[in-house]
Amino acid sequence: MNLEPGDEFAAEVDKITKRGTCTVKYDGQGINIGPVTCEPGRSVRLRYLGADSVAGTSIRFALCLTDKVLAENYKDHIRRHVSGLLPDQPPQEGEQTYIEVDKIDEYGLGLAVAGGEVVELGPVQANEGDLVHVVGREPGYAEILNARARGKRYRIRFDILRERWDKLPIEKNELFTATIDDTDGSNLIAYVDGLPVHFSGGKARIGQKIEGELIRFHRDRGVGKVTKVYDSVGDIEDSGHDTRLQHLQQAGFGQKPFCAFATRFTGVSGDQLPSTEISIRDAIVGEAIRLGLAEKAEAGEQQYPQAHITAIRHWVVHKLAAILGQPVAGTDKVSDDVGWFQAALTERTGPTITFLGDVIQLSQGYYAPAPTRAVMISESEAVLVSGDPSRPFLESGLDIEFRGLTRILTDTSEAELRSREEPV
C-alpha cells in the first residue's frame, strides 16, 4: 500500500460492524476509520495515520475528515485507539486533525499545546480536556471545524484573534451607531455588524442606542468608548436571556417583564399563569404555535385547515425570537437538547402540544388544529383541548389557567360548557 502517515485520500465505506465501526478498502487493504452513521458505498475523505497493534494484531487506521458521517462516539474511538498516532506537533496549514483543549482563558478562548507550542483555537463551546476537530491555519492558529464546539460568533472573533484586520467590518478609530446588547458584568457590549465591542464605564443601558468609537482590539474583541447615548430603544442583535429581560424592561414591561409579556401575549392575568419561568415559557410557545397554525392554515388553500411546519415555525420564531432567542438545537437547556420550538411541538421528554391533542401531526410535515373539546377533571375544571388560540374562549367569558402547555378551564361545570355548545 502506497500511503504514508499524513496522506489524504478518498475511499468508499466498505464494511460496518454491529458496533458501527467502519472500514474502507485501499489498494486491497482494510483500513479502520472508526464509528460512522452512513451506509456502505458512501465516499469519505480520510487522512492515513498508520498502523498500530491492537490485541496482538496490526491494524491500519485513518482519520475521517467527513464530519457529516461521524457517530457521536467518534472522539471516544480516537482516544481509545488512535490518539498515539496523531502527530505531536501543531497542525500545518490546511492539515486536519484532532487536538485536545488544554486551557480555556477568561475570554472563552481555547488553547492547545502541541509539540511544546501553544495553538490558539478561538472561542470554544467545550471543556478543558475535550478533543476538537481542527484545521491548521497560519503558525500558532488552528480553526475549529465542528460547529458545536465553536463559540458564539466564531468566525469574526477568530479573525480578530488572528489580526486579520482586512476581514473586519470596522477599523480602529472608526465611529459607529449600535445598540447595547449585553454585559459581561463589568463592561457593556454592542455588536457592530457582528463584531463585539466592549465599553467600560459607560452610562448606557441594555437596549439603548448609542454612538461609539472603536479604540483598539484586544484578543477576540474590540474595545470602544461611548460618545453619545440616545433615549430610544434599539433592536438587540445577539441577546442572552437576561439581556432580553432587560430589553423588555426598557420597552416598558415593568419589574417582571417576562410575566408581563406573557399576560399581554396570552390575554390572561398574572395569577392565571404558571409560577415558574420554564412553565411560562411553555405557555407562550404553546399559544404562539396555536396562533401561527391558525393564521397559516386559514391562508392555505387546502380542503381542510392545515399548515406546513416550516410556515408555522417561521411565524412563531418571528414573534418570539426577541424574547426567547433563536430555537437552536443544543443551546436551550429547558428543551431536552432540541430548540424550544420543536421541543414544545413534538420532541422532548414530557408533554408536547401534539401529545396533549391541541395539534394533529399529519404526513409530509403538515399539522392541523385539533377540534375543540373539554375534558372534565373535576366538578369545576376541565382541560381545554383545542387547536384554537385562547382569546376567543376568553372573550366568550370562559376563564383559562395556563399550566405550561396545558390550558385549564376553571370555575365552570359540565352543564355550563354544554350550554355553550362546547363538546365535553
Side-chain angles (χ1 to χ4, degrees):
M1 189 171 63
N2 60 353
L3 287 175
E4 296 292 335
D7 288 349
E8 291 191 13
F9 66 104
E12 290 187 355
V13 170
D14 181 41
K15 295 180 180 179
I16 301 177
T17 69
K18 292 182 179 180
R19 295 182 178 181
T21 301
C22 171
T23 59
V24 300
K25 281 286 182 68
Y26 191 86
D27 282 350
Q29 301 289 328
I31 302 175
N32 185 320
I33 70 169
V36 298
T37 59
C38 63
E39 299 295 326
R42 167 69 187 265
S43 179
V44 291
R45 191 73 187 168
L46 306 164
R47 183 159 69 88
Y48 185 59
L49 296 176
D52 200 8
S53 178
V54 178
T57 302
S58 181
I59 298 178
R60 296 175 179 85
F61 289 97
L63 195 65
C64 183
L65 306 180
T66 306
D67 278 347
K68 291 182 180 180
V69 306
L70 300 184
E72 290 185 1
N73 61 335
Y74 190 78
K75 293 176 185 177
D76 295 334
H77 158 78
I78 292 173
R79 286 195 184 279
R80 284 198 308 269
H81 299 303
V82 301
S83 59
L85 297 175
L86 295 175
D88 186 20
Q89 60 184 16
Q92 301 299 306
E93 183 176 353
E95 178 189 351
Q96 291 191 37
T97 188
Y98 277 78
I99 200 166
E100 184 174 308
V101 179
D102 287 298
K103 180 181 178 181
I104 300 174
D105 69 12
E106 66 269 30
Y107 303 105
L109 303 176
L111 302 169
V113 178
E117 298 181 39
V118 175
V119 180
E120 296 268 13
L121 305 176
V124 297
Q125 289 191 106
N127 298 313
E128 293 180 0
D130 284 354
L131 283 173
V132 291
H133 186 190
V134 300
V135 58
R137 294 307 182 196
E138 62 266 32
Y141 297 91
E143 179 182 348
I144 296 174
L145 295 178
N146 189 326
R148 290 195 175 188
R150 291 184 171 202
K152 291 172 62 175
R153 300 184 177 273
Y154 181 88
R155 170 59 57 195
I156 199 164
R157 292 169 64 190
F158 192 51
D159 281 340
I160 299 171
L161 190 64
R162 296 163 65 193
E163 299 183 357
R164 301 184 72 192
W165 314 129
D166 60 315
K167 300 291 185 180
L168 304 180
I170 57 173
E171 300 176 350
K172 285 193 293 185
N173 303 318
E174 186 173 341
L175 301 175
F176 57 84
T177 302
T179 302
I180 299 298
D181 288 75
D182 209 343
T183 177
D184 62 4
S186 57
N187 299 300
L188 299 171
I189 304 171
Y191 291 90
V192 184
D193 291 335
L195 188 150
V197 181
H198 290 234
F199 308 91
S200 62
K203 295 182 179 180
R205 295 174 297 178
I206 290 175
Q208 278 189 301
K209 290 179 64 176
I210 58 102
E211 288 183 7
E213 180 181 356
L214 181 62
I215 304 301
R216 60 188 175 90
F217 292 103
H218 177 66
R219 296 290 285 161
D220 66 328
R221 62 199 59 189
V223 178
K225 67 176 181 180
V226 176
T227 58
K228 183 177 180 179
V229 178
Y230 294 91
D231 292 333
S232 57
V233 174
D235 291 331
I236 292 181
E237 185 177 342
D238 188 49
S239 54
H241 179 62
D242 291 339
T243 300
R244 290 192 291 271
L245 293 187
Q246 292 189 49
H247 189 225
L248 284 177
Q249 287 181 308
Q250 293 293 320
F253 281 87
Q255 292 302 308
K256 294 184 178 181
F258 200 62
C259 185
F261 173 81
T263 61
R264 294 193 200 180
F265 191 77
T266 61
V268 301
S269 62
D271 58 1
Q272 293 170 296
L273 288 171
S275 58
T276 67
E277 188 173 300
I278 290 177
S279 295
I280 293 176
R281 289 165 59 99
D282 278 350
I284 293 171
V285 176
E287 189 66 6
I289 291 174
R290 298 183 198 100
L291 286 163
L293 176 56
E295 180 167 311
K296 294 301 179 181
E298 184 179 344
E301 299 179 355
Q302 298 91 345
Q303 182 178 1
Y304 301 102
Q306 58 184 274
H308 196 268
I309 186 172
T310 54
I312 304 167
R313 187 183 190 280
H314 182 269
W315 194 97
V316 172
V317 173
H318 180 71
K319 295 293 187 292
L320 297 185
I323 308 304
L324 302 180
Q326 292 291 330
V328 180
T331 63
D332 191 347
K333 294 181 181 178
V334 304
S335 299
D336 289 350
D337 292 329
V338 297
W340 51 257
F341 171 79
Q342 200 68 41
L345 184 65
T346 56
E347 297 182 17
R348 69 171 179 187
T349 304
T352 64
I353 199 166
T354 50
F355 174 83
L356 293 171
D358 286 7
V359 173
I360 301 171
Q361 187 173 8
L362 307 176
S363 62
Q364 298 180 332
Y366 282 87
Y367 290 80
T372 298
R373 61 264 195 219
V375 181
M376 300 302 300
I377 56 175
S378 73
E379 293 184 355
S380 60
E381 290 186 339
V383 176
L384 174 60
V385 181
S386 175
D388 292 335
S390 301
R391 286 189 185 272
F393 298 103
L394 295 168
E395 291 169 356
S396 73
L398 290 169
D399 290 323
I400 296 178
E401 181 179 307
F402 283 81
R403 298 177 187 174
L405 293 174
T406 306
R407 295 175 294 177
I408 305 295
L409 299 173
T410 60
D411 298 324
T412 189
S413 65
E414 182 175 343
E416 180 185 359
L417 292 172
R418 292 190 183 278
S419 71
R420 292 171 175 269
E421 300 184 350
E422 299 288 358
V424 179

